Amino acid sequence: MPWVFKTEPTECSIDDIGAAGADGVIWEGVRNYQARNFLRDEVVVGDLVLIHHSSCAQIGVAGVAQVTEAAFADPSQFQQDSQYYDPKATTDKFAWYAVKVSLVEKFARVLTLAELRDCPGLAELVLVKKGNRLSIMPATKQQFDLVLFLTKT
DNA sequence: GCCAACGTTGGC
DNA sequence: GCCAACGTTGGC
């Protein structure tokens, strides 16, 4: 299933994903239960992911990544110096999961949120819904293909 | 288990 | 920096 992952580019941008090479980057720090459940239960190796840059100058979808490793224990929950540290987490019992993604394609330009909202075929895309705060969101194949099509217009 | 208060997200 | 929308917390 295709996905949309949100990220602040100051944390992990499309270029950071590209710089990580074929092995990919660890997608960690997800601390919302609904998003966690998607990561833990539904994101599988090979899934394609639209990478959305949020809270930045150029808000929008910046490219496509691919899942290279499915759910494993989010290492940041064990790291005391991490902003994502969870003192309750042990290696036997923990709440948070991470995946790995590698770069497939960086778009020639960022597809802005306004453009996505202007596209009737994307009205049901979770990313464009008002008040949406999920950082891991499912998308349909039709929505995914439509976003790729928009990059060519 | 309800729900008010609070904190966070994230576009603008 | 503002503020709408949402998630979480905690008293009862």
Side-chain angles (χ1 to χ4, degrees):
Chain A
M1 178 188 294
W3 300 93
V4 179
F5 286 9
K6 254 193 271 196
T7 179
E8 297 186 15
T10 51
E11 294 291 317
C12 181
S13 71
I14 193 82
D15 290 327
D16 294 329
I17 298 171
D23 193 39
V25 294
I26 298 177
W27 205 268
E28 61 185 1
V30 172
R31 294 295 181 271
N32 164 283
Y33 286 104
Q34 199 181 347
R36 187 281 308 269
N37 291 348
F38 283 134
L39 277 189
R40 185 189 59 190
D41 305 332
E42 299 195 43
V43 175
V44 297
V45 171
D47 278 355
L48 294 174
V49 181
L50 296 168
I51 301 297
H52 173 82
H53 284 173
S54 69
S55 296
C56 60
Q58 275 210 304
I59 295 165
V61 176
V64 178
Q66 184 168 36
V67 177
T68 57
E69 187 172 342
F72 56 95
D74 181 337
S76 68
Q77 68 193 314
F78 306 121
Q79 296 160 1
Q80 287 196 31
D81 58 346
S82 169
Q83 60 173 316
Y84 302 118
Y85 178 60
D86 179 358
K88 296 192 297 294
T90 68
T91 50
D92 288 335
K93 199 168 191 297
F94 55 86
W96 308 114
Y97 290 78
V99 299
K100 272 184 152 183
V101 302
S102 67
L103 184 68
V104 173
E105 175 190 4
K106 179 186 177 181
F107 295 157
R109 63 183 186 87
V110 171
L111 266 185
T112 67
L113 250 195
E115 286 177 89
L116 299 178
R117 290 210 166 101
D118 280 346
C119 180
L122 297 176
E124 296 305 312
L125 183 65
V126 181
L127 179 67
V128 309
K129 293 253 176 173
K130 187 179 176 187
N132 164 61
R133 287 169 59 177
L134 257 188
S135 59
I136 306 287
M137 292 162 278
T140 66
K141 181 160 191 311
Q142 288 81 356
Q143 290 164 341
F144 180 87
D145 290 344
L146 190 45
V147 170
L148 288 203
F149 173 78
L150 287 180
T151 66
K152 298 172 177 64
T153 61

